[in-house]
Amino acid sequence: MKTKRLLFVSLMALLAMTMFVGCSKDDDSSEPEYALEGEWLEYNSSGEMELYQVTDYSKSGSFKMLLVWVSAQNNEWQNMSGKYSYDKVNNSLLLNYETEIAGNKNVTMSFKISFRDAYTMSMYDESMGDKTDLYRIVATYNMTVGQEKKIEADVIDNPVSYQSTAKRVATVDNAGTIRAIKRGTSYILVKSSTSTAVVRVVVTDPENVIDDCMKYLGRNINEVSGEFDFRPTFDSQLQGNDMWVRAYNVVDEYTMDVGLFYNIRDNKITAAVADLRETAKWNDIIASFNRKYEFINSMAVEGGTTYTYDTEKDGKKVQILLDTSDNTVMYVLGSDSYEQLDQLINLSIEEIANTLGVELDEDDIESGYLMVDVYGNDIFDQVTVSFDSETKAIQYVSLTCKEGITRAHIEGWYKEHYNETGVEQIPYVNETLDVFISFSQNRRGRTTVMYARF
């Protein structure tokens, strides 16, 4: 689910731009000498995307850099490190590092730098002709969700304004009081009449190690999209009566993007999938889900483990599936457990696949057999479809009940919706649709409901 969307050329241009766009002042041999060592922030927001670059220069001549490019179409985080040399006489800075952007090759870049004051450094890339201003990060505040803290007076002399780079994470008012909103990191630009310093705000939430997508379920897709800093330009795919969309502009060190399933008839979100970064701390995530939700089971899969949880939202059951093999967390809002699957027998195999959110491949068609796991259903957890590989005519649809669900649990619904035949082997029938219902147990001892035509 994770697709690299940034080409080497565009990312190298981005890196150069984030490092070197802005203004500098003329050389003045009499200006005070300021230290390069420490952390510096470069931040640009165009309204369509945000660029963050945080660089930490150590006294030993090494540096670490975090580059973040976030828009409605992309969410890229790159960590880089390397060596630097700083010539104070000529005000020149040389960086040498290895990065994925360049295919893990060494890159060397050189700049002219000048200090406006202790808080602002201007950098100029002579080869690109680009300039930028970087602001010193003077403090880091660790806060929890809901906490408030006033920016300390010694951050900068005579501050006149404050700006949060991520208002979803933390806000700041005109008096410099920060309020932590949700987990993540925001940078507060503290401005005086002549300079800008930065306070980094790291917000933690013990109950939400990752952004909990439960909040999206059951809501209108248009309402949810308005909560992003940019209105998402979604990747989209129509599947049956549902639209699958993906939003990339989620500024989060663990979450790369969020996919949303919504019904095209009422625009209500029925499922959400968070794609996590490789850096996600699964032990912490699993521990937080164990605290919040009812653990159902875990299962070893190729490359990792899946963990299943149940909970409720607005009276409806929600099933959550954590999959460490592909770094995803899926949330599925339950619908009427029977009606969700009862009419599959009346659809074509293509429509069944769309309804279940899968794509038919050549092996499925050649075998005439489709098996799909079902999430978010109170009764059933698997659908099996047999069809003619040449005509694609449906032969039968079999629904496998969850463990512990017996015929006695479900037979009342079929009595209410189908006609009784009095024949034990095929106890229920719908003459209008030429469909009969039978019950059995599979090899795992699970109750199955089979729909077949006369």
Side-chain angles (χ1 to χ4, degrees), residues 120-345:
T120 304
M121 173 173 65
S122 294
M123 302 183 71
Y124 176 61
D125 177 11
E126 293 178 307
S127 64
M128 301 286 291
D130 293 327
K131 301 178 183 179
T132 192
D133 280 348
L134 290 86
Y135 306 108
R136 188 183 294 277
I137 300 174
V138 298
T140 296
Y141 295 169
N142 294 302
M143 304 175 65
T144 56
V145 170
Q147 183 181 358
E148 293 187 353
K149 179 177 177 62
K150 187 171 178 60
I151 293 176
E152 295 171 5
D154 61 355
V155 165
I156 198 171
D157 292 334
N158 303 315
V160 296
S161 68
Y162 305 88
Q163 177 188 351
S164 172
T165 62
K167 295 178 181 178
R168 296 187 310 276
V169 174
T171 60
V172 60
D173 62 20
N174 293 334
T177 299
I178 302 168
R179 180 173 176 78
I181 305 299
K182 65 181 289 291
R183 61 171 302 280
T185 300
S186 181
Y187 298 91
I188 307 298
L189 305 181
V190 185
K191 299 182 180 182
S192 70
S193 58
T194 58
S195 191
T196 301
V198 178
V199 173
R200 175 171 42 213
V201 178
V202 179
V203 180
T204 56
D205 181 353
E207 295 303 313
N208 295 291
V209 176
I210 60 171
D211 197 19
D212 196 333
C213 294
M214 273 280 293
K215 61 188 177 185
Y216 300 130
L217 299 182
R219 297 174 57 195
N220 188 291
I221 184 65
N222 296 314
E223 174 189 348
V224 168
S225 67
E227 295 179 1
F228 291 93
D229 282 351
F230 321 107
R231 184 177 177 83
T233 303
F234 289 123
D235 281 351
S236 62
Q237 181 181 358
L238 185 63
Q239 297 183 341
N241 290 319
D242 292 306
M243 181 71 80
W244 173 254
V245 298
R246 190 180 301 283
Y248 294 95
N249 51 309
V250 184
V251 183
D252 191 298
E253 65 269 36
Y254 289 160
T255 306
M256 184 165 61
D257 56 64
V258 172
L260 302 172
F261 241 135
Y262 70 96
N263 191 295
I264 60 175
R265 291 169 293 187
D266 60 10
N267 289 332
K268 294 294 181 64
I269 296 170
T270 57
V273 179
D275 282 339
L276 305 187
R277 303 182 194 280
E278 298 294 334
T279 54
K281 297 180 179 178
W282 276 109
N283 288 339
D284 293 345
I285 294 169
I286 292 165
S288 72
F289 275 66
N290 287 339
R291 291 192 297 268
K292 290 191 295 182
Y293 304 121
E294 179 186 359
F295 173 74
I296 303 302
N297 59 45
S298 62
M299 181 183 301
V301 296
E302 184 176 356
T305 306
T306 61
Y307 300 82
T308 304
Y309 298 85
D310 280 350
T311 187
E312 289 188 357
K313 182 179 182 183
D314 300 330
K316 289 188 176 181
K317 188 171 184 178
V318 176
Q319 189 166 76
I320 305 171
L321 182 70
L322 280 62
D323 190 340
T324 67
S325 67
D326 64 0
N327 287 329
T328 58
V329 180
M330 177 185 289
Y331 306 74
V332 181
L333 184 65
S335 59
D336 185 291
S337 299
Y338 296 98
E339 292 181 1
Q340 182 186 23
L341 304 174
D342 180 61
Q343 297 300 311
L344 293 180
I345 188 69

Side-chain angles (χ1 to χ4, degrees), residues 81-123:
S81 61
K83 298 291 185 179
Y84 77 91
S85 58
Y86 173 39
D87 183 345
K88 295 181 180 180
V89 175
N90 296 307
N91 290 324
S92 62
L93 177 67
L94 189 70
L95 303 182
N96 183 270
Y97 56 94
E98 185 178 286
T99 172
E100 293 178 7
I101 298 175
N104 292 322
K105 296 179 180 179
N106 280 327
V107 175
T108 300
M109 304 185 81
S110 60
F111 316 98
K112 288 288 186 180
I113 65 173
S114 63
F115 292 91
R116 181 179 303 169
D117 52 36
Y119 304 108
T120 304
M121 173 173 65
S122 294
M123 302 183 71

